[in-house]
Amino acid sequence: MKKLSLTLQFIFFTLFLNAQTISEINKIRPTDLVKGDYFGRNIDISGNYAIVSAPNQDQIINGNQTLKHAGAAYIYHKDENGNWTEIQKLGLSNISINNQYDFFASSVAISEKYAVVGATQAITLNPENHENINEGETGAVYIYEKNASGNWLQVQKIQGSDSRTGDQFGFEVAVEDDHILVGAIAHTVNEILYAGAIYAFKRNNNGVWEETQKITKPVKDERPNSRYGFPFGFTIAMDENRAIFGHIDNQDLNDPSDITRNVAFIYERNDNGIWSEIQKLIPSDSPQSGSTGLKLDIQGDYIIAAAQGYNRSGTDRLGVAFVFKRNESGIWDETQKITPSSQQVGPSFGSTSVSIDNGLIAIGAYLDDSKGQNAGSTYVYTLSESTGIWLEFQQVVPSDIQTGTEFGWGLAMSNSDMFISAWNSSSTNQNSETVYSYKICNTTTIPDRNFEQWLVNENIDSDGTVNGIINNCDVEKIKELNILPLQGISNLTGISAFHNLERLNIPENDLVTLDLSNNTKLTSVNVFYNFLEYIDITNCSELVSLNVSDNFLN
């Protein structure tokens, strides 16, 4: 029975491996970056835009005055070929000496319209004389909007209505449509220090972001004599009208038998914009698994909660992640515990980065030793629709991985795109911190071996083997196919994946039928001297040249 189970698991693994691939597209690194800027510590992607933080970056003002750790963020845009390029560097519009050690971009979030940037150490200034009102670490969040020209402009600075010194407002941020959530991890609640709070903001009809709610840890979960190792709001993830907040209660100092509790709270937003607690999640072996909830993400009916791999004695253990699924009654059930295939990941698996999107889960392990000491990697899991089980199908590593790369430090996914950062903290190379962009692609069946062999020979099929499939990332840039005569090609099944194909030439081959109905950008088709009995050019509205002579068409 055990052998059968392993065999079935292998079959599922193989099916999903063939269904999707992850391909490295390009390396991203600003030209003005220096080692220690923490570039890539926080990343977010939405559609064709991405934002990457560099919170430790120094800034120069007045020609020669250096502001230590003022911070910066970079906006990237994806072009039609799937390549990401830097389009704008974000900073404060009125930067001054008061912004030194702001750590602007301590947190970042982006949508198609808004970019949200946290600065956890920002001070509060008197609006009249611009003198400090407090000693610092109040924190602030800056909101940028994309204008009609595609430029991102700072439109507002927000803080909590009761923000005070040391709150670290902006430690975590999330944006969804016209809603923003902000974590202030050191905020005092009911005289409990470092309890943490989350502030909800909404954009009104005049374009102004207003605070609508302050969310604190539910009273029923307060514990006497508790110290707060990871306060409420340490981790925030939002998806449409749902959000999940991570929290870790350290043990009751007056009760040695009391164990650490690692929890997450699920909230939902009603039609009036008010967030209410729906459920508290405690993973099944939370007491033994360290800091569950340290890293969280949510999409649709799934939540991923990663736990850094350590125990109460401080001994390193493997990291672990838990999957929760929302059932038909609206209750979130733990459905799976995920551990990596490699035993060399140590405690870093899920400790700094997780993401869930479009049926995939990605979990970073930046200290993974399986590719070299602290080389790092990212493990990607896909959901089996038939079994409901998440299966590991690819360990992602960069093309230039080496010892100390620390790949998987930060990551984000959106649709078919993924960004993963490498820290390289031990490197002496100034060009150390790097972000890699990846394309998550489906594959298309190519049943005709002669057709695929031609694609391999032309370096279009990047895997270099005739295996009956082609990566869709390989074909999406192809605009022209000039197939030589006498290649023995009788079947062009798979041509539908060439969405950007404009010109197709395949004379003197053995085609009998040809379906081009999905190739809507075609302008020229030449299938002279085949054995065609049927051709479908429905939807080819841009077609201006068609040569089907010397075939068997009626």
Side-chain angles (χ1 to χ4, degrees), residues 498-499 501 516-523 538-543:
F498 291 70
H499 295 297
L501 188 64
L516 299 175
S517 59
N518 287 327
N519 305 98
T520 59
K521 294 184 179 181
L522 279 170
T523 60
T538 307
N539 304 323
C540 297
S541 58
E542 299 182 25
L543 190 63

Side-chain angles (χ1 to χ4, degrees), residues 81-321:
N81 293 320
N83 294 314
W84 293 86
T85 56
E86 179 189 332
I87 59 170
Q88 193 172 340
K89 178 179 178 179
L90 299 185
L92 299 180
S93 56
N94 296 306
I95 193 168
S96 71
I97 188 62
N98 292 307
N99 300 117
Q100 185 163 241
Y101 296 104
D102 269 12
F103 294 99
F104 177 86
S106 303
S107 59
V108 294
I110 196 167
S111 68
E112 288 288 312
K113 297 186 293 183
Y114 311 117
V116 183
V117 182
T120 58
Q121 309 296 304
I123 60 177
T124 301
L125 299 178
N126 187 317
E128 295 181 359
N129 57 22
H130 298 283
E131 294 181 353
N132 294 358
I133 293 178
N134 56 34
E135 297 177 359
E137 296 188 13
T138 303
V141 167
Y142 299 87
I143 302 172
Y144 296 77
E145 292 188 9
K146 180 167 62 74
N147 65 15
S149 301
N151 296 316
W152 297 79
L153 306 178
Q154 182 182 324
V155 295
Q156 195 172 341
K157 172 185 175 181
I158 59 175
Q159 291 178 305
S161 55
D162 58 353
S163 289
R164 64 197 74 173
T165 300
D167 273 5
Q168 296 192 48
F169 180 88
F171 187 90
E172 189 84 339
V173 294
V175 61
E176 185 86 19
D177 297 325
D178 289 338
H179 296 272
I180 290 173
L181 293 172
V182 181
I185 62 166
H187 184 71
T188 299
V189 178
N190 297 332
E191 300 183 353
I192 300 175
L193 300 177
Y194 307 109
I198 296 167
Y199 295 81
F201 291 82
K202 187 180 188 303
R203 188 176 185 270
N204 67 22
N205 294 332
N206 296 320
V208 177
W209 293 84
E210 299 176 321
E211 181 183 323
T212 58
Q213 190 177 354
K214 175 183 173 182
I215 307 168
T216 57
K217 190 166 70 72
V219 174
K220 63 178 179 293
D221 287 295
E222 292 183 1
R223 308 169 73 198
N225 308 307
S226 179
R227 63 186 182 186
Y228 294 83
F230 288 84
F232 189 64
F234 184 85
T235 305
I236 299 174
M238 179 165 49
D239 180 52
E240 296 183 351
N241 68 327
R242 297 191 185 110
I244 183 167
F245 310 137
H247 177 66
I248 298 171
D249 284 333
N250 279 358
Q251 68 185 53
D252 185 337
L253 299 182
N254 289 350
D255 182 3
S257 66
D258 190 21
I259 53 179
T260 299
R261 298 194 307 179
N262 310 285
V263 302
F265 296 92
I266 303 172
Y267 280 70
E268 288 188 3
R269 188 183 67 243
N270 64 22
D271 293 339
N272 295 321
I274 301 301
W275 293 90
S276 301
E277 182 193 347
I278 299 301
Q279 190 176 341
K280 177 180 177 181
L281 303 181
I282 304 178
S284 55
D285 62 353
S286 173
Q288 289 78 39
S289 60
S291 52
T292 299
L294 179 63
K295 285 298 173 182
L296 301 164
D297 201 10
I298 179 173
Q299 187 185 57
D301 291 333
Y302 288 95
I303 288 171
I304 181 72
Q308 186 174 352
Y310 64 84
N311 59 25
R312 292 174 61 188
S313 66
T315 304
D316 283 354
R317 297 159 24 97
L318 292 179
V320 65

Side-chain angles (χ1 to χ4, degrees), residues 251-508:
Q251 68 185 53
D252 185 337
L253 299 182
N254 289 350
D255 182 3
S257 66
D258 190 21
I259 53 179
T260 299
R261 298 194 307 179
N262 310 285
V263 302
F265 296 92
I266 303 172
Y267 280 70
E268 288 188 3
R269 188 183 67 243
N270 64 22
D271 293 339
N272 295 321
I274 301 301
W275 293 90
S276 301
E277 182 193 347
I278 299 301
Q279 190 176 341
K280 177 180 177 181
L281 303 181
I282 304 178
S284 55
D285 62 353
S286 173
Q288 289 78 39
S289 60
S291 52
T292 299
L294 179 63
K295 285 298 173 182
L296 301 164
D297 201 10
I298 179 173
Q299 187 185 57
D301 291 333
Y302 288 95
I303 288 171
I304 181 72
Q308 186 174 352
Y310 64 84
N311 59 25
R312 292 174 61 188
S313 66
T315 304
D316 283 354
R317 297 159 24 97
L318 292 179
V320 65
F322 300 88
V323 177
F324 293 86
K325 186 178 187 298
R326 186 174 182 269
N327 65 29
E328 294 179 354
S329 301
I331 304 300
W332 294 81
D333 300 316
E334 181 185 319
T335 58
Q336 190 175 346
K337 177 180 175 180
I338 294 177
T339 55
S341 56
S342 171
Q343 299 298 303
Q344 296 178 279
V345 296
S348 70
F349 180 77
S351 65
T352 61
S353 57
V354 299
S355 184
I356 183 169
D357 189 85
N358 236 9
L360 293 176
I361 288 175
I363 303 176
Y366 77 104
L367 298 179
D368 185 359
D369 293 335
S370 63
K371 303 297 181 181
Q373 185 176 7
N374 292 346
S377 66
T378 295
Y379 293 82
V380 181
Y381 300 80
T382 188
L383 178 64
S384 166
E385 294 183 1
S386 60
T387 66
I389 301 298
W390 294 83
L391 302 173
E392 181 183 323
F393 87 100
Q394 190 164 340
Q395 180 187 9
V396 180
V397 295
S399 55
D400 58 353
I401 193 168
Q402 58 186 338
T403 297
T405 298
E406 296 176 324
F407 178 81
W409 187 41
L411 70 87
M413 288 193 298
S414 177
N415 296 322
S416 59
D417 296 294
M418 179 164 59
F419 276 27
I420 307 176
S421 63
W423 190 11
N424 287 292
S425 63
S426 61
S427 173
T428 58
N429 185 352
Q430 287 298 311
N431 297 322
S432 54
E433 300 152 10
T434 305
V435 171
Y436 298 78
S437 72
Y438 290 84
K439 186 76 171 177
I440 304 167
C441 294
N442 292 322
T443 57
T444 295
T445 300
I446 306 290
D448 190 301
R449 293 181 61 84
N450 292 330
F451 180 31
E452 188 178 7
Q453 184 64 65
W454 184 86
L455 293 171
V456 169
N457 295 343
E458 295 296 314
N459 296 317
I460 295 174
D461 190 343
S462 63
D463 64 20
T465 60
V466 178
N467 54 10
I469 59 172
I470 190 169
N471 188 331
N472 287 6
C473 292
D474 291 339
V475 305
E476 63 183 14
K477 301 177 184 179
I478 303 300
K479 295 184 177 181
E480 185 170 5
L481 292 178
N482 290 307
I483 300 174
L484 296 175
L486 306 178
Q487 299 298 304
I489 298 173
S490 61
N491 187 349
L492 278 190
T493 295
I495 195 72
S496 59
F498 291 70
H499 295 297
N500 292 313
L501 188 64
E502 297 176 359
R503 294 171 295 278
L504 173 63
N505 293 294
I506 179 170
E508 299 184 57

